[in-house]
Amino acid sequence: MTTPPLTLGIETSCDETAVAVLDPEGRILINVLASQIAAHRPYGGVVPEIASREHLVALPLLASRALETVPEPEAVAVTARPGLVGSLLVGVRFAAAFAWARGLPLAAVDHLEGHLLSPFLDLDGGPADPVPDPALALVASGGHSSWYLLSGEAFRRLGRTRDDAAGEVFDKVAQALGLPYPGGPAVDRLARTGNPAAVPMPRPRLKDSETDFSFSGLKSAAIRLIRERGLAASDEASAPQAVRDLLAAFEAAVVEQLLRPLPLLVERHRPEAIAVAGGVAANTLLRREVVRAGERLGVTVRLAPRALTTDNAAMIARAGQMALLRGETADPRRVDASGRQAWQPPGMRSTS
Ligand code: KG4
Ligand code: ZN
């Protein structure tokens, strides 16, 4: 295979049911999703059983509606790992049946590979860009915060959080203030009117690694300050200045942690580009600071379009196209979901 096929992408690894179709050049022909946030909100995080049930209801409807408007797919790509096993299985079985019934090739995609490719997709109808080689890429989401090296056809992890993911700490601190789940976007908005210098925040450093980082100390410090100072913000509009200041300081510290390994990684790997993806890549301060760091270091920055930072199926279809080009196909009769035991849904990890 030298050009990728027109590909149907399916994503059900967590709490978004998503369907997309990409043409052979990686143009997004359709990209739709059904969010489950409202169904999980009363529980303060993603409830696995509710997620699977919602996917079961939403996926067939979403797929049939999406397929009405585009040419017949020539291949199917589906997220097979990592994620909630029950949720992954809904997508994987649907994709396998779809591919098997039509005799189409099937790609079983790693969700993170999808995120890594999202900065190279175009929301304005253009073709996907080739991934510069080598590139450094940060994925910061509710479940992951790692730096990768993209080179040739592989991606290798270079650094990671040792404890919580960045999105998770945004959500936990927002929750401690009484803000609704997921709190990342509200923290982003409130921090814009806060003064980061007004509140002291620790800058934890790991003694044994220059490329890994940690968020749990920061999270605990922010939650301790919230409790000591009796801070609360049940809705954004009435949030007091002290809350905005605390969130600005906290957000600045999170962004600093994420970007701390960057100069060293640039020096070591001499990348052609720095790419940033995942839900937290929607964060205003992170976007600004990465662009600044890129200018300082003389490296082009590729930010995922905001609408493709959170989970979506366009990135999965693109990762599937790349896998199919490499000749990696899955057998629809045997393909399985792999949840990885360590993976827990955002909002449902224990607070420490
Ligand atoms: O990639 P994603 O949709 O799901 C996972 O794979 O985890 O990321 C969701 C995470 C949530 O923790 C959410 O609070 C965070 O991304 N997030 C943000 C922003 N938008 C979403 N965090 C900070 N600032 C934002 N603007
Ligand atoms: Zn994700």
Side-chain angles (χ1 to χ4, degrees):
M1 204 182 277
T2 49
T3 23
L6 191 128
T7 303
L8 166 68
I10 291 171
E11 153 66 38
T12 63
S13 68
C14 188
D15 59 344
E16 321 269 15
T17 317
V19 174
V21 177
L22 261 57
D23 84 357
E25 278 77 47
R27 278 185 199 84
I28 302 174
L29 302 182
I30 189 157
N31 180 41
V32 286
L33 67 85
S35 170
Q36 303 180 0
I37 283 181
H40 298 285
R41 188 160 274 161
Y43 308 96
V46 177
V47 182
E49 289 77 6
I50 294 179
S52 321
R53 210 163 50 212
E54 296 274 318
H55 287 308
L56 266 179
V57 175
L59 181 57
L61 287 170
L62 210 59
S64 63
R65 235 183 295 145
L67 289 168
E68 276 169 15
T69 63
V70 295
E72 274 289 304
E74 300 161 346
V76 185
V78 63
T79 308
R81 62 189 171 273
L84 298 169
V85 183
S87 291
L88 287 166
L89 268 176
V90 176
V92 166
R93 292 321 327 156
F94 183 93
F98 190 98
W100 175 247
R102 290 166 181 75
L104 303 179
L106 176 68
V109 169
D110 187 306
H111 182 78
L112 291 172
E113 190 172 348
H115 274 301
L116 289 169
L117 294 173
S118 63
F120 305 99
L121 293 171
D122 183 10
L123 272 182
D124 297 322
D129 283 333
V131 179
D133 186 358
L136 284 175
L138 171 69
V139 178
S141 71
H144 312 271
S145 296
S146 303
W147 280 99
Y148 294 89
L149 182 68
L150 312 183
S151 180
E153 289 175 343
F155 61 98
R156 180 158 67 90
R157 190 167 66 191
L158 301 174
R160 65 182 168 94
T161 173
R162 289 282 178 85
D163 35 59
D164 300 347
E168 192 184 352
V169 290
F170 274 114
D171 295 340
K172 283 274 151 66
V173 168
Q175 190 183 37
L177 285 164
L179 289 162
Y181 172 85
V187 173
D188 185 347
R189 287 187 293 268
L190 288 168
R192 277 179 229 162
T193 49
N195 172 13
V199 182
M201 272 293 150
R203 297 288 196 272
R205 268 175 188 275
L206 296 172
K207 289 199 180 67
D208 60 342
S209 171
E210 292 174 289
T211 50
D212 287 356
F213 38 92
S214 154
F215 290 115
S216 70
L218 256 179
K219 177 186 71 179
S220 308
I223 294 176
R224 198 168 50 244
L225 281 171
I226 289 168
R227 297 205 174 123
E228 277 169 17
R229 300 180 180 186
L231 299 177
S234 51
D235 73 291
E236 279 179 53
S238 62
Q241 191 58 40
V243 166
R244 295 166 195 267
D245 291 347
L246 176 115
L247 292 178
F250 166 72
E251 182 189 62
V254 171
V255 168
E256 218 181 283
Q257 288 288 89
L258 282 171
L259 299 186
R260 167 120 47 69
L262 188 55
L264 180 67
L265 294 179
V266 166
E267 194 187 310
R268 276 189 190 160
H269 300 283
R270 308 258 164 226
E272 296 289 322
I274 298 165
V276 184
V280 180
N283 183 267
T284 314
L285 183 70
L286 176 62
R287 293 176 87 84
R288 201 176 70 208
E289 291 302 316
V290 178
V291 170
R292 280 197 185 146
E295 281 165 6
R296 263 199 313 273
L297 297 162
V299 187
T300 312
V301 169
R302 298 288 309 238
L303 301 170
R306 266 182 208 264
L308 296 180
T309 52
T310 43
D311 293 347
N312 64 84
M315 67 186 195
I316 301 305
R318 188 63 187 156
Q321 290 186 324
M322 298 293 106
L324 293 169
L325 276 184
R326 296 193 296 265
E328 292 167 17
T329 53
D331 181 343
R333 293 163 302 178
R334 291 195 179 80
V335 63
D336 208 353
S338 146
R340 275 190 210 162
Q341 273 187 339
W343 203 89
Q344 284 181 293
M348 284 300 166
R349 298 177 192 91
S350 57
T351 343
S352 52

